[in-house]
Amino acid sequence: MEIQKEFDLMAVSTKGDDTPLILRKNLCLNVVEPNIKNEISSQKLDIILTQFMEILSKRKKYHIGYPINMCYEHQAILASLVQFSLNNCGDPFTQSPTDFHSKDFEVAVLDWFAQLWEIEKDEYWGYITSGGTEANLHGLLVGRELLPSGILYASKDSHYSIFKAATRLYRMELQTINTLVNGEIDYEDLQSKLLVNKNKPAIININIGTTFKGAIDDLDFVIQTLENCGYSSDRYYIHCDAALSGLILPFIKHAKKITFKKPIGSISISGHKFLGCPMPCGIQITRKSYVSTLSKIEYIASIDTTICGSRNGLTPIFLWYCLNMKGHAGLQQDSITCIENARYLKDKLVKAGIGAMLNEFSIIVVFERPCDHKFILRWQLCYLSGLAHVVVMPGITRETIDSFFNELMQERKRWFQDGKTRPPCLADEFGSQNCMCSNNKMHN
């Protein structure tokens, strides 16, 4: 059947199993006019969707390189909501002119995060965004509106959305800060550049877990650095990008708090990452007093201080449902389990002689990049230069970790069987203490 041929091109199997290696490649779909007299067109659509879902289901257990929590069962209870087009247009705290919105659910979710980050209900403003990028864009926009002549300071390991905001969208002056070998911001470099530019206000992006290495910048030390450089609190704005770790650190003992009791301007997280949601989304919280330039739109009878305007009304319901089902206890258990499983993987790699790194309170295990690109694709690993990483999310069990590790060890025997090919030196990329090349083994 023609449609089957298209799906055969969609996936490549390895190791003699039926697990697709490459998804959605060479899948040539098109939109055709329906044949009213012929039901085959409808059947074709059903076949395409059914087989696509089968492929996704098979590949789910091999999704370990990117921070998406797929361990949820929203669909059973919430699927019927898809019949309604829900649009949370404009400010979530203003009433919509139609009944087809979920702003009451949205505000409940925002209140939960406001309480988590210790800011009073009447002192915060926020909204549920289309993802972490929009949340970052809004946080930096607030900073720029407050300090129009401010310079944005961001470490080179910051999420790409930070640099997109500065250079392409907002045309902000940007100072890129070096990072330490673990991915944390280089505080000396930050201080040096703050002193050089102390005639202008500072807008600081703090990473509560960098994208690739999971490094957490020391917020308290950055605040102290600003004060030491002579910046008063009205001359700096701090945005905290807590996309992944923002729902981990609050539930771990001895981890430093992310809180509005400190002089920060905004916090953002991604809702589809650690918490889990079937559609990308984010949460952005800032101080209500900062959102002063409001726009009244007559057409929608609402004040709109958001970026997108129209927003997915289904997302807040999924987030509200998940938070109610998990609660603090469930999120704490997820956090502890993921950190323990990340340590488990890192220890297995190191004992096997594979260079690996795991930052404190992180669930991102960084290790030497596998030699075979097919292996990387099979396990959907994220890689950068000579490194790759696994993000140990909820749902990634020790059974999955063992399966990945055993296959990696089997493949390494093949990659290095000639005795001439050796693992590369990665000391410059994640520290000599984490590198397992022959030179560093001798020194360590």
Side-chain angles (χ1 to χ4, degrees):
M1 190 176 181
E2 184 180 348
I3 204 72
Q4 184 61 53
K5 289 180 181 178
E6 291 176 353
F7 268 87
D8 289 341
L9 289 172
M10 187 176 183
V12 177
S13 298
T14 63
K15 297 189 170 300
D17 64 18
D18 61 352
T19 303
L21 172 62
I22 302 174
L23 281 180
R24 299 167 73 171
K25 187 172 183 179
N26 297 327
L27 180 61
C28 301
L29 296 175
N30 50 29
V31 177
V32 297
E33 288 299 309
N35 187 336
I36 299 176
K37 296 180 180 180
N38 192 344
E39 294 184 359
I40 294 179
S41 57
S42 177
Q43 293 173 359
K44 281 186 176 181
L45 297 181
D46 291 342
I47 291 172
I48 290 173
L49 293 176
T50 299
Q51 294 190 351
F52 183 58
M53 286 189 284
E54 287 176 356
I55 289 172
L56 293 179
S57 296
K58 288 180 180 179
R59 293 296 289 146
K60 187 176 178 180
K61 64 180 179 180
Y62 293 91
H63 191 278
I64 65 172
Y66 293 86
I68 299 175
N69 181 359
M70 296 187 180
C71 186
Y72 53 78
E73 296 181 353
H74 296 138
Q75 69 275 10
I77 303 296
L78 305 178
S80 58
L81 286 167
V82 178
Q83 67 183 297
F84 302 109
S85 178
L86 303 180
N87 187 345
N88 285 14
C89 195
D91 192 305
F93 298 95
T94 61
Q95 187 62 39
S96 175
T98 78
D99 292 337
F100 290 87
H101 67 89
S102 64
K103 288 186 176 182
D104 31 10
F105 290 89
E106 182 174 13
V107 171
V109 171
L110 294 172
D111 284 346
W112 188 92
F113 279 98
Q115 186 177 35
L116 182 71
W117 293 327
E118 299 182 316
I119 184 168
E120 294 298 322
K121 184 176 175 66
D122 61 349
E123 294 180 358
Y124 88 87
W125 184 90
Y127 75 106
I128 293 176
T129 69
S130 61
T133 289
E134 185 187 347
N136 282 337
L137 292 179
H138 192 276
L140 296 182
L141 179 62
V142 174
R144 192 201 66 175
E145 293 299 294
L146 285 170
L147 304 169
S149 63
I151 297 174
L152 174 60
Y153 297 83
S155 80
K156 66 179 184 179
D157 280 23
S158 298
H159 190 261
Y160 72 87
S161 63
I162 303 300
F163 303 102
K164 178 164 68 174
T167 61
R168 297 183 184 179
L169 299 177
Y170 301 153
R171 303 292 192 224
M172 299 169 72
E173 188 175 348
L174 172 67
Q175 286 287 333
T176 302
I177 310 301
N178 293 328
T179 52
L180 305 177
V181 74
N182 73 331
E184 198 173 343
I185 194 169
D186 185 327
Y187 305 100
E188 290 186 4
D189 190 40
L190 174 63
Q191 177 175 289
S192 174
K193 289 172 178 172
L194 284 170
L195 288 171
V196 169
N197 299 289
K198 66 179 182 179
N199 61 316
K200 290 187 176 182
I203 300 168
I204 312 283
N205 179 72
I206 293 291
N207 292 307
I208 311 298
T210 55
T211 306
F212 193 81
K213 294 181 178 178
I216 298 168
D217 297 336
D218 190 329
L219 174 59
D220 294 337
F221 195 76
V222 169
I223 293 170
Q224 188 62 55
T225 299
L226 284 161
E227 293 174 354
N228 292 344
C229 292
Y231 288 79
S232 56
S233 59
D234 62 340
R235 294 189 64 247
Y236 68 80
Y237 177 95
I238 295 175
H239 171 67
C240 298
D241 179 4
L244 176 61
S245 298
L247 275 177
I248 298 175
L249 296 190
F251 304 103
I252 300 298
K253 288 182 180 179
H254 310 303
K256 290 188 176 180
K257 273 192 172 185
I258 315 167
T259 172
F260 278 94
K261 290 184 177 180
K262 298 175 182 180
I264 62 174
S266 52
I267 305 173
S268 65
I269 71 153
S270 295
H272 59 285
K273 290 184 178 176
F274 197 75
L275 181 60
C277 185
M279 61 279 289
C281 57
I283 293 92
Q284 155 71 354
I285 298 284
T286 187
R287 297 181 188 275
K288 191 174 183 179
S289 60
Y290 289 172
V291 188
S292 55
T293 308
L294 302 177
S295 177
K296 180 69 179 287
I297 312 298
E298 185 176 358
Y299 174 69
I300 60 172
S302 174
I303 292 170
D304 187 10
T305 49
T306 68
I307 288 178
C308 284
S310 288
R311 294 177 293 107
N312 188 340
L314 292 173
T315 304
I317 303 175
F318 279 77
L319 294 176
W320 170 85
Y321 184 84
C322 191
L323 288 172
N324 274 285
M325 292 298 290
K326 283 186 178 290
H328 283 227
L331 286 165
Q332 183 177 49
Q333 186 56 59
D334 281 350
S335 300
I336 293 170
T337 299
C338 289
I339 288 176
E340 289 177 348
N341 285 344
R343 289 172 182 162
Y344 173 76
L345 172 57
K346 190 250 186 179
D347 290 344
K348 286 179 75 73
L349 292 169
V350 171
K351 287 178 183 177
I354 301 172
M357 180 188 78
L358 176 64
N359 274 302
E360 188 178 22
F361 307 126
S362 175
I363 60 173
I364 299 178
V365 181
V366 185
F367 59 101
E368 70 180 60
R369 178 178 171 176
C371 297
D372 189 350
H373 193 63
K374 288 183 179 180
F375 181 86
I376 291 174
L377 290 174
R378 175 176 170 81
W379 287 95
Q380 302 171 74
L381 300 177
C382 179
Y383 61 90
L384 181 66
S385 188
L387 301 175
H389 76 206
V390 168
V391 187
V392 185
M393 299 294 288
I396 296 182
T397 63
R398 294 202 176 186
E399 181 182 2
T400 301
I401 292 171
D402 289 341
S403 179
F404 164 74
F405 175 79
N406 293 336
E407 190 172 311
L408 175 63
M409 294 304 296
Q410 183 178 345
E411 290 297 306
R412 283 174 63 86
K413 289 179 182 178
R414 183 173 61 84
W415 299 335
F416 303 124
Q417 64 184 351
D418 60 6
K420 297 178 182 178
T421 305
R422 296 182 181 277
C425 179
L426 298 170
D428 291 341
E429 297 198 48
F430 64 4
S432 58
Q433 72 275 21
N434 298 310
C435 181
M436 299 295 284
C437 74
S438 54
N439 289 336
N440 282 297
K441 278 184 180 177
M442 291 174 60
H443 289 103
N444 291 334

